[in-house]
Amino acid sequence: MSSKDARWTHLMRVTVPIGALALVLAGCATGGDGGGGTTEAPSSDKVAAVIKGLDNPFFQAMEDGINDTAEQDGVDVTVQAAADIGDTTGQADKLTALAGQDFGCYIVNPISGTNLVQALSQISSAGKAIVNIDSPIDPDAAETANLDIATYIGTDNGAAGGKAGDFVVEQVPASSEVAIIGGIAGDVTSAARIDGFKEAVGDTLTVVQESAADWKRELALTAATDIIAANPNVKAFFAANDDMGLGIVKAIENAGLTGQIVVVSVDGNQDALESVEAGGLTATVAQYPYAIGSLGVQACEVVAGGETLPENIESPTALVTNDVAADAIAAFPQPFEEFENPLTDLLAE
């Protein structure tokens, strides 16, 4: 681990880089028993993590956060990833294979709200801790399966979409036509970001078309090309992730309209930050997958120490525009602002 990564993990224990956005300990139950982590330490302090596909740089950074924090803190962690962002069955199979092994805490980042529920039922029944990160497990499915989820750690996706919407409203004239490209149809995360965006733009702007591109750049390129052809007056796009945002940027470039259409996405991956600096993407609402992964490991440490976790831990976001893109790139994968680690006091006990 580099000295930079070690310094980051140390900061995560005290004050994690991200500012006025202090993490909120919300009270939104996700588990079948009404939420809140168990106070009884598991029989094993080994940690298993099952995350989404490493074909997406967002989840590469998340894996780095998990591994770096585990190394720094002396946690025995095993990380498994789906083959790609659509590999729901393969991801579930990986978790099933880990479920019967000697792990006391499981960090899970499900591809869909339900694809890991069956395997998690076995884990929960065995009294092992479940830390849900990034993409929430469907609460109805969790209740039906009687899952005891120790905590959820992730972005307020509605607020992230809202930040994008507020920015777009400032960038284009009132009544302008805008388009939306979301992830997998029916995905909870995508829906929350889109809903937040729509709520922010309200009646100020007109959403002329909404498409799904399965989180993939090439599908977003095709969708945006069709939208631009059908709606020549479109002034802005919102994409539910950076990969799709970069596909939209390419479609705009192909149409000879670079600089004439605003494009805002969500994630804050390095290639997106570089695109913002270069004038491709207009902005990205940066999440910090490294921080999410790191907090996931620390949550397992809290459980291993017999402490109770808050039901919900909000990870930070920040709007990155051209004027701060260089700062965001220099700090990547760490946040370039500051926020306080909500687990500091629990880790110290």
Side-chain angles (χ1 to χ4, degrees), residues 185-262:
D187 180 83
V188 174
T189 298
S190 178
R193 293 176 186 176
I194 291 170
D195 288 347
F197 178 83
K198 287 180 176 177
E199 184 175 349
V201 302
D203 296 330
T204 305
L205 305 176
T206 302
V207 177
V208 292
Q209 192 166 335
E210 182 177 332
S211 300
D214 296 352
W215 303 114
K216 296 179 179 179
R217 188 178 307 197
E218 63 275 15
L219 295 182
L221 167 59
T222 300
T225 299
D226 293 343
I227 289 170
I228 292 168
N231 303 276
N233 293 319
V234 67
K235 299 299 182 187
F237 278 87
F238 170 63
N241 81 342
D242 282 343
D243 250 18
M244 296 189 297
L246 292 169
I248 296 167
V249 168
K250 183 61 176 176
I252 291 169
E253 178 185 327
N254 291 345
L257 297 171
T258 298
Q260 299 179 46
I261 300 176
V262 170

Side-chain angles (χ1 to χ4, degrees), residues 301-314:
E301 292 182 67
V302 170
V303 171
E307 299 295 330
T308 301
L309 289 162
E311 294 168 0
N312 197 59
I313 300 172
E314 184 180 334

Side-chain angles (χ1 to χ4, degrees), residues 288-320:
Y288 294 101
Y290 189 99
I292 294 172
S294 184
L295 285 167
V297 173
Q298 291 183 346
C300 286
E301 292 182 67
V302 170
V303 171
E307 299 295 330
T308 301
L309 289 162
E311 294 168 0
N312 197 59
I313 300 172
E314 184 180 334
S315 59
T317 60
L319 182 71
V320 180

Side-chain angles (χ1 to χ4, degrees), residues 106-197:
Y106 290 77
I107 302 169
V108 293
N109 176 28
I111 291 174
S112 76
T114 58
N115 75 300
L116 299 184
V117 168
Q118 183 173 350
L120 288 173
S121 179
Q122 177 184 343
I123 292 166
S124 187
S125 296
K128 299 179 178 182
I130 299 169
V131 173
N132 180 199
I133 63 172
D134 181 45
S135 296
I137 297 163
D138 181 84
D140 292 335
E143 183 175 4
T144 299
N146 198 31
L147 300 185
D148 182 3
I149 299 172
T151 192
Y152 170 73
I153 302 169
T155 301
D156 181 336
N157 287 296
K163 283 183 180 181
D166 290 338
F167 177 76
V168 170
V169 167
E170 294 173 356
Q171 299 301 306
V172 300
S175 301
S176 291
E177 295 181 358
V178 298
I180 296 169
I181 296 184
I184 297 170
D187 180 83
V188 174
T189 298
S190 178
R193 293 176 186 176
I194 291 170
D195 288 347
F197 178 83

Side-chain angles (χ1 to χ4, degrees), residues 93-106:
D93 289 344
K94 288 180 183 295
L95 182 59
T96 299
L98 293 169
Q101 297 183 36
D102 184 27
F103 297 101
C105 186
Y106 290 77

Side-chain angles (χ1 to χ4, degrees), residues 269-270 272-279 281-284 319-332 336:
N269 293 330
Q270 186 163 6
L273 298 176
E274 291 170 352
S275 179
V276 172
E277 185 179 40
L281 279 172
T282 315
T284 179
L319 182 71
V320 180
T321 52
N322 179 264
D323 58 329
V324 296
D327 292 338
I329 292 168
F332 187 85
F336 70 99

